[in-house]
Amino acid sequence: MSKLIIRKVAVLGAGVMGAQIAAHCANADVPVVLFDLPAKDGKPNGIVDKAIASLKKLDPKPLGSKDRAQYIEAANYGSDLEKLRECDLIIEAIAEKMEWKLDLYAKVAPYVRPDAIFASNTSGLPINALSEGMPAELRPRFCGIHFFNPPRYMPLVELIPTATTDAAMLDDLEAWLTTRLGKSIVRAKDTPNFVANRVGVFSILAVMHHTQQLGLGFDEVDALTGPSIGRPKSATYRTADVVGLDTLAHVIGTMDATLPNDPWHDLFKAPLWLSALIEKGALGQKTRAGIFRKEGKKIMVLDVAQQDYRPSAGEVAPEVAAILKNRNPAEKFAQLRASSHPQAQFLWAIFRDVFHYCAYHLADIADNARDLDFAMRWGFGWSMGPFESWQAAGWADIAQAIQADIDAGKTMVKAPLPAWVFAREGVHEAAGSYSAADDALKARSALTVYDRQLYPEQVLGEAPKDRGETIWENEGVRLWTRPDQDARIGILSITSKAHAIGNEVLDGVIEAVARAERDLDGLVVWHDAPFAVGANLMQVAEALKAGEFDLLERTVDKFQRASMTLKHAQVPVVAAVQGMALGGGCEFVMHASHRVMALESYVGLVEAGVGLIPAGGGCKEFALQAHTLAQRAAGGDVYLYIQNSFQTIAMATVAKSALEAVQLGFAKASDDILFNPHELLYAAIRRARAMAEAGYRPPMMSNAVTVAGRNGIATCEMMLMNMAEGGFISAHDYTVAKAAATALCGGEVETNARVSEQWILDVERAQFVTLLKNEKTQQRIVHMLETGKPLRN
């Protein structure tokens, strides 16, 4: 682990990137001083104050919860530079102009402590040239630290050393960024645009070139270059709008100015239509018009030939879609090459050109092929890096096809493939990934921080990771251990599709806990994201169709028993959560002894969306929370603590982070929140071990839970009546929400009556089964299964 201690960070520049880097540090409990120029009018810190306020409004949210903004302190270069002396890490994130950065460095350098780290978030300016703007004594602690936008969500950070950067400092910084901020690090060389932007922007330029050559529409190309080829939904042109057309043009300009000897240099020009849009101020999403724009509910797309916008309607041709569905990469690429359809020709051309570019430049721009592939995965959201795609499709066949196109003059440049391409059968092997610069295989980083990642992301061709030793499994779960970590801490993994919770999972959970109680010291519930998407609706729908309501009630009873088994196990049960934990998945999370959660955990009781209420103990857990809080308030009104839970369930509110999950009551303030999801299993095993060593005892079932009863239900109903009269909810929404209120308030009992936990579970189950018999709920379930979207009926 890193010995680097960073108590406070300074971010210089409160623009889009600077403010969001500051926000992510605040998410990670690191106080930040955010600097910008003094405002010309009003308060001196007006520019920064405005930037901090805007963080609370942006979507996707930079802040894990709005209250994190309080940890960002506003400052300006005019009067607050002394605050820099308090900071252990200073990140410069101003505009990409060398002279501006150097002027700022000269201004702030006298206030930077000798032991502080100073880093530039430049996206492509030469790091060594920037380093020369620092005093000689600070240069060993200067480097590039290139975050990708948005910083909270994009894993990639490129670390770029200079000729004088202290190697040990850089190792410590990598470890800190990996664990504290949850980042995935690529060490980049000091070349223009580094690794990800160099390849990513080339890829965009290649797409633009072939779009024009083959006469395709921008919307058609986005249909082709999104998820169907393993790229993000925003594809190419929508991504350009999101990034900002002016920003894209600036990066293209950087490549034009700094890469005069690149064989593809003639491509490094903004197309005329792009320059025209920028001149008109149509810069993309931030100006609400760019390549795409909205007119009412219609999405319009720029038509270059017409020099105007038209309705967006681009689709993948059926014959090309059929090729893309082929799961054999070698066959797929062969079919694309052989097809005469313009869309197929386009796809082969853009893949071919990126493969060609990456092979030609690998020695110059990346230490090895793994770093380049990960840079594209982590920085641009590609499901596979370029070299992985090439290797999966048959290395030698693709190499020959590229060379044939070069020889035939079909490629953009005549630059030959490097000799190493034909000397190898791929670039990724069990022993490491190929480095063209060193003509050798490179193993992964040996930094100890990576020992915490028991199952890190891997590239195609790497040796598979240890799957541990299976203790027991059924069709829904696997109980296993990692003896190299702790042979007596069991790992329970749900193995169903999307980790949906059906009968086989419930049986598996109950059996796994029994085995853990008998043979182990603790249990961790862990598997890749999502944690669980809720109950297996398909099983529910089949039982409804057959009218098997007794079976459904028995299943709900089993669900409750599974939840209670987790909560009252005689060994600690730690839920390791990442991604979605919805419905029944959320209830499993709530019933665990402890939670180790990735920041990006999206947790919620969403049953209302299919006309149901939580009945795996979710309502009961909220009722218990209300009872505890009322007791702490010396006998306060229990309903006061039910209101928020009622709204959370009735509105199917989902926490947008682990921090929000704590605020909404799905998790506890004492739970662990990790920023790197690859560290979850490591931390959860150790948490379970610590709880076991500390003499863990499960909570006892309570027979004296104070509930809100009839008055609480009536008060919830008044709220619902107002919403119904205002047209905000339907009649069936009302019915579902009243059922939730009934369960939360302990049923039709006297206000402040004391009931058992089992009583509340029985009320939950009865309300749930009644809703299952309702035709409107049945319609919602079928609609969700058919469309994946909730039905408002």
Side-chain angles (χ1 to χ4, degrees):
M1 281 295 295
S2 166
K3 295 180 180 178
L4 182 65
I5 296 173
I6 295 180
R7 293 185 174 88
K8 184 176 283 190
V9 169
V11 177
L12 310 181
V16 172
M17 282 300 290
Q20 293 198 47
I21 292 168
H24 196 55
C25 291
N27 289 337
D29 298 319
V30 182
V32 188
V33 187
L34 180 59
F35 282 84
D36 212 299
L37 295 166
K40 293 179 181 178
D41 302 305
K43 295 181 179 178
N45 291 331
I47 294 172
V48 179
D49 288 339
K50 184 178 179 181
I52 295 172
S54 73
L55 290 171
K56 301 176 184 179
K57 303 171 186 174
L58 292 176
D59 192 28
K61 298 178 178 181
L63 295 166
S65 61
K66 289 183 179 180
D67 66 344
R68 295 277 123 180
Q70 68 182 298
Y71 302 115
I72 306 174
E73 179 184 356
N76 70 82
Y77 305 127
S79 57
D80 298 322
L81 289 179
E82 282 289 341
K83 294 179 185 295
L84 289 173
R85 299 191 196 278
E86 306 166 10
C87 300
D88 306 294
L89 170 63
I90 299 165
I91 301 172
E92 170 268 304
I94 68 170
E96 289 290 276
K97 290 186 180 292
M98 178 70 76
E99 63 274 20
W100 290 7
K101 291 179 185 287
L102 294 178
D103 284 349
L104 180 61
Y105 294 0
K107 181 181 290 187
V108 303
Y111 301 90
V112 177
R113 293 201 324 262
D115 62 335
I117 299 170
F118 195 104
S120 174
N121 183 57
T122 178
S123 59
L125 293 176
I127 293 296
N128 279 285
L130 289 171
S131 176
E132 290 171 7
M134 301 296 293
E137 62 272 18
L138 295 180
R139 289 177 194 170
R141 301 185 70 77
F142 179 87
C143 64
I145 182 171
H146 180 210
F147 289 82
F148 276 67
N149 190 25
R152 172 183 161 186
Y153 300 95
M154 296 304 291
L156 180 62
V157 167
E158 292 175 318
L159 272 185
I160 313 99
T162 71
T164 54
T165 300
D166 179 78
M169 180 278 289
L170 205 67
D171 287 348
D172 285 347
L173 182 58
E174 178 170 346
W176 186 84
L177 288 165
T178 299
T179 288
R180 192 62 178 266
L181 296 191
K183 293 303 165 189
S184 299
I185 307 300
V186 165
R187 296 277 185 106
K189 298 184 178 184
D190 189 12
T191 57
N193 289 352
F194 311 128
V195 183
N197 275 347
R198 179 75 173 270
V199 175
V201 174
F202 172 83
S203 175
I204 292 171
L205 288 168
V207 167
M208 290 178 173
H209 173 81
H210 291 295
T211 300
Q212 183 176 349
Q213 291 294 107
L214 290 163
L216 304 181
F218 297 145
D219 51 342
E220 186 179 5
V221 168
D222 269 12
L224 287 164
T225 58
S228 63
I229 63 167
R231 307 282 169 81
K233 288 181 181 178
S234 55
T236 302
Y237 291 107
R238 175 69 68 188
T239 295
D241 271 350
V242 171
V243 168
L245 302 186
D246 53 339
T247 302
L248 176 61
H250 176 79
V251 177
I252 294 170
T254 299
M255 293 177 76
D256 180 36
T258 58
L259 296 168
N261 298 320
D262 191 308
W264 284 264
H265 181 260
D266 288 347
L267 186 69
F268 304 157
K269 302 283 190 297
L272 292 176
W273 59 263
L274 179 59
S275 299
L277 285 174
I278 294 169
E279 193 174 328
K280 291 177 184 175
L283 306 180
Q285 185 171 280
K286 58 189 172 187
T287 60
R288 299 187 179 181
I291 299 167
F292 293 90
R293 76 179 186 198
K294 282 189 81 171
E295 292 183 6
K297 293 186 178 180
K298 285 185 179 179
I299 303 292
M300 309 295 286
V301 63
L302 179 67
D303 188 309
V304 174
Q306 297 178 19
Q307 295 189 356
D308 200 358
Y309 289 87
R310 59 168 173 78
S312 176
E315 293 182 347
V316 179
E319 65 186 86
V320 178
I323 294 173
L324 293 176
K325 287 178 183 175
N326 190 332
R327 294 189 177 183
N328 183 312
E331 292 178 2
K332 182 190 301 184
F333 275 92
Q335 290 167 352
L336 288 174
R337 293 200 310 272
S339 174
S340 60
H341 195 287
Q343 291 186 358
Q345 293 175 357
F346 168 83
L347 288 172
W348 163 244
I350 64 170
F351 274 106
R352 175 201 65 206
D353 290 347
V354 170
F355 295 163
H356 187 186
Y357 193 81
C358 290
Y360 186 90
H361 284 297
L362 177 59
D364 304 325
I365 66 175
D367 178 66
N368 59 74
R370 179 180 51 249
D371 284 355
L372 191 149
D373 278 346
F374 276 150
M376 298 315 298
R377 280 210 223 164
W378 298 334
F380 278 76
W382 292 13
S383 61
M384 293 180 77
F387 287 121
E388 288 181 284
S389 297
W390 181 347
Q391 189 164 323
W395 185 266
D397 288 344
I398 294 295
Q400 289 169 9
I402 296 170
Q403 191 60 53
D405 279 5
I406 294 170
D407 295 341
K410 292 181 180 179
T411 54
M412 286 185 282
V413 299
K414 281 283 190 179
L417 284 171
W420 66 260
V421 169
F422 299 101
R424 302 192 57 79
E425 297 178 359
V427 289
H428 302 305
E429 300 179 18
S433 291
Y434 183 67
S435 168
D438 296 331
D439 190 27
L441 292 175
K442 291 288 189 78
R444 281 175 170 264
S445 170
L447 292 180
T448 56
V449 68
Y450 295 113
D451 294 341
R452 296 171 59 86
Q453 298 186 16
L454 303 185
Y455 293 97
E457 278 191 62
Q458 291 189 285
V459 289
L460 184 82
E462 278 194 273
K465 288 294 180 181
D466 182 359
R467 291 193 74 245
E469 295 182 4
T470 300
I471 297 173
W472 174 83
E473 61 186 328
N474 70 356
E475 292 181 356
V477 307
R478 176 183 176 228
L479 177 64
W480 55 291
T481 63
R482 277 286 299 260
D484 61 323
Q485 299 296 315
D486 193 324
R488 292 190 58 81
I489 299 297
I491 303 164
L492 174 61
S493 298
I494 298 175
T495 56
S496 57
K497 184 178 180 181
H499 308 130
I501 302 169
N503 256 305
E504 68 285 356
V505 173
L506 298 175
D507 290 336
V509 167
I510 293 168
E511 175 65 20
V513 171
R515 288 171 178 266
E517 288 178 328
R518 187 177 67 234
D519 301 326
L520 300 169
D521 297 334
L523 188 64
V524 170
V525 184
W526 174 87
H527 38 257
D528 289 333
F531 181 80
V533 295
N536 187 327
L537 278 183
M538 186 62 74
Q539 288 184 0
V540 174
E542 288 170 356
L544 285 173
K545 192 173 182 180
E548 296 175 325
F549 292 102
D550 288 345
L551 172 63
L552 286 166
E553 183 159 9
R554 289 196 300 274
T555 301
V556 179
D557 177 69
K558 188 191 293 184
F559 209 129
Q560 293 180 337
R561 283 190 286 116
S563 293
M564 297 298 275
T565 297
L566 291 171
K567 181 170 183 174
H568 297 286
Q570 295 301 305
V571 295
V573 177
V574 176
V577 187
Q578 61 174 313
M580 292 183 292
L582 305 178
C586 175
E587 289 173 302
F588 276 4
V589 169
M590 294 175 75
H591 283 81
S593 316
H594 190 86
R595 284 141 295 275
V596 176
M597 305 179 76
L599 176 70
E600 302 310 329
S601 296
Y602 310 109
V603 188
L605 296 170
V606 296
E607 288 85 351
V610 287
L612 294 168
I613 66 166
C619 293
K620 180 263 302 177
E621 282 298 296
F622 274 141
L624 277 174
Q625 287 180 24
H627 162 79
T628 301
L629 291 168
Q631 291 294 106
R632 288 176 183 168
D637 183 358
V638 71
Y639 178 74
L640 293 176
Y641 305 100
I642 285 292
Q643 290 179 78
N644 289 340
S645 302
F646 171 64
Q647 290 182 13
T648 297
I649 291 175
M651 303 301 291
T653 303
V654 175
K656 297 301 194 304
S657 71
L659 296 170
E660 285 191 5
V662 172
Q663 292 175 343
L664 290 170
F666 300 130
K668 297 179 180 177
S670 56
D671 290 329
D672 304 309
I673 297 177
L674 274 60
F675 277 54
N676 197 314
H678 298 296
E679 297 181 352
L680 280 179
L681 181 56
Y682 176 93
I685 289 172
R686 280 148 184 81
R687 174 59 70 182
R689 168 53 61 196
M691 293 173 73
E693 295 296 327
Y696 173 77
R697 295 186 299 276
M700 295 179 69
M701 287 271 287
S702 175
N703 290 311
V705 183
T706 305
V707 293
R710 295 189 185 94
N711 286 354
I713 298 169
T715 307
C716 289
E717 273 204 277
M718 288 176 59
M719 188 189 311
L720 292 173
M721 287 173 64
N722 291 333
M723 294 177 73
E725 288 172 5
F728 297 108
I729 61 173
S730 69
H732 192 52
D733 290 332
Y734 185 106
T735 300
V736 174
K738 184 184 175 183
T742 302
L744 283 167
C745 295
E748 295 287 347
V749 296
E750 294 299 321
T751 299
N752 293 327
R754 294 201 163 193
V755 301
S756 67
E757 286 187 58
Q758 188 58 53
W759 172 274
I760 304 172
L761 287 170
D762 292 344
V763 175
E764 261 189 7
R765 187 171 65 254
Q767 293 295 320
F768 186 91
V769 173
T770 299
L771 287 170
L772 276 176
K773 296 176 180 177
N774 190 304
E775 184 181 358
K776 297 280 190 184
T777 287
Q778 294 172 19
Q779 290 170 355
R780 288 191 179 190
I781 291 171
V782 170
H783 188 270
M784 178 63 77
L785 285 170
E786 290 178 347
T787 69
K789 297 177 181 178
L791 172 68
R792 290 297 304 276
N793 61 347

